Amino acid sequence: MRIDKLKKIVWEANLRLYQSGLVILTWGNVSGFHREEGLVAIKPSGVAYEKLKPEDIVLVDLEGNVVGGYLNPSSDTPIHLELYRAFPRIAGIAHTHSPFATAFAQAEREIPCLGTTHADAFRTPVPVTRTLSQEEVRLDYEQNTGKSIVERFKNMDPLLTPGVLVARHGPFTWGLTPEEAVTNSLILEKVAEMAWRTLCLKPDVLPLEDYLVDKHHRRMHGPGAYYGQRRRQPDE
């Protein structure tokens, strides 16, 4: 993939995030990673979505050096870089302050898997990070936020649970592409809303049984997945 194509994809993904209603004003961002080149394309800091153009997308290397573009990259860039370094299979990240997911993050409460809709996309409850210490915030707030996400995913597969709640802050999602990261943000917000409504109706509801979680996740993901369409040969 050419770098200019990646910038266009990231621009389109940011617009989709905005048009979906998951973000307002300049809140949130999407990035994409070109692993062969070692470059990340990311939304510039503080630029309104409705004014964003493909040429505004900023390119940085994995050390955070700006190597393309004339604007400052998102202030969340160090978080994105930490995730790209730690999760070698992802190539897109999205961040929002969507209301229901952010409410769980502010409450420092994971989103429990209460139904099959959640299990279709997230193999586990959506985890929440620990709160950063005062020293971590002072020394390098964004980088330490990224490290806290990586720490939370120790012994977890980030592609089976492609999202996290940063305590007192908001959600991050990821995927194999920037578009997939945005899709996962949409799903995360919806399952957070469903969980909140379910807990209002039945505060003592139990998590979904493991066998149902496994069934619904496997039918959507992995080598045995059968949800959706596959390309058939002409003689089939």
Side-chain angles (χ1 to χ4, degrees):
M1 181 195 302
R2 288 169 34 184
I3 292 296
D4 57 347
K5 183 178 180 181
L6 177 63
K7 290 178 67 172
K8 186 173 185 293
I9 289 171
V10 169
W11 169 70
E12 290 172 342
N14 274 282
L15 289 187
R16 182 181 171 217
L17 195 71
Y18 176 65
Q19 292 163 355
S20 72
L22 290 183
V23 298
I24 62 172
L25 303 175
T26 61
W27 303 357
N29 42 72
V30 182
S31 72
F33 186 27
H34 194 302
R35 288 201 172 271
E36 291 77 13
E37 299 288 340
L39 296 178
V40 174
I42 192 165
K43 180 183 179 291
S45 180
V47 175
Y49 288 93
E50 61 269 24
K51 296 181 179 179
L52 190 65
K53 302 183 293 296
E55 56 266 31
D56 295 333
I57 300 299
V58 185
L59 293 174
V60 300
D61 63 22
L62 280 179
E63 302 306 314
N65 301 305
V66 175
V67 298
Y70 57 94
L71 297 170
N72 293 327
S74 168
S75 57
D76 290 324
T77 298
I79 303 174
H80 291 240
L81 298 182
E82 283 292 329
L83 298 186
Y84 286 130
R85 286 192 289 260
F87 301 158
R89 291 181 291 168
I90 71 171
I93 297 171
H95 171 48
T96 78
H97 294 267
S98 56
F100 285 95
T102 300
F104 275 90
Q106 291 181 165
E108 298 180 81
R109 181 171 180 175
E110 68 178 19
I111 303 173
C113 183
L114 301 179
T116 59
T117 308
H118 180 127
D120 284 341
F122 298 96
R123 183 61 184 79
T124 68
V126 179
V128 61
T129 67
R130 62 177 176 80
T131 303
L132 296 183
S133 69
Q134 184 175 356
E135 185 73 357
E136 287 174 312
V137 171
R138 183 184 67 82
L139 289 175
D140 197 325
Y141 173 53
E142 287 80 13
Q143 185 174 27
N144 285 324
T145 296
K147 288 181 177 179
S148 75
I149 297 172
V150 174
E151 173 189 299
R152 183 62 185 82
F153 271 77
K154 184 179 181 180
N155 301 323
M156 291 181 66
D157 186 335
L159 289 184
L160 294 183
T161 301
V164 69
L165 306 176
V166 174
R168 300 301 182 99
H169 183 65
F172 282 79
T173 59
W174 46 79
L176 300 178
T177 65
E179 301 98 317
E180 188 172 280
V182 172
T183 295
N184 287 332
S185 285
L186 287 161
I187 297 171
L188 177 60
E189 177 63 7
K190 187 54 66 175
V191 298
E193 180 182 356
M194 290 176 179
W196 180 82
R197 293 182 184 277
T198 303
L199 290 166
C200 287
L201 288 169
K202 189 176 182 181
D204 60 349
V205 64
L206 295 176
L208 188 67
E209 291 84 354
D210 286 344
Y211 67 87
L212 276 171
V213 174
D214 186 65
K215 176 63 175 180
H216 272 263
H217 198 270
R218 286 183 181 276
R219 73 175 192 155
M220 298 282 285
H221 307 277
Y226 60 88
Y227 178 87
Q229 300 299 314
R230 66 182 179 88
R231 186 180 297 277
R232 295 181 180 273
Q233 298 302 317
D235 58 345
E236 286 190 290

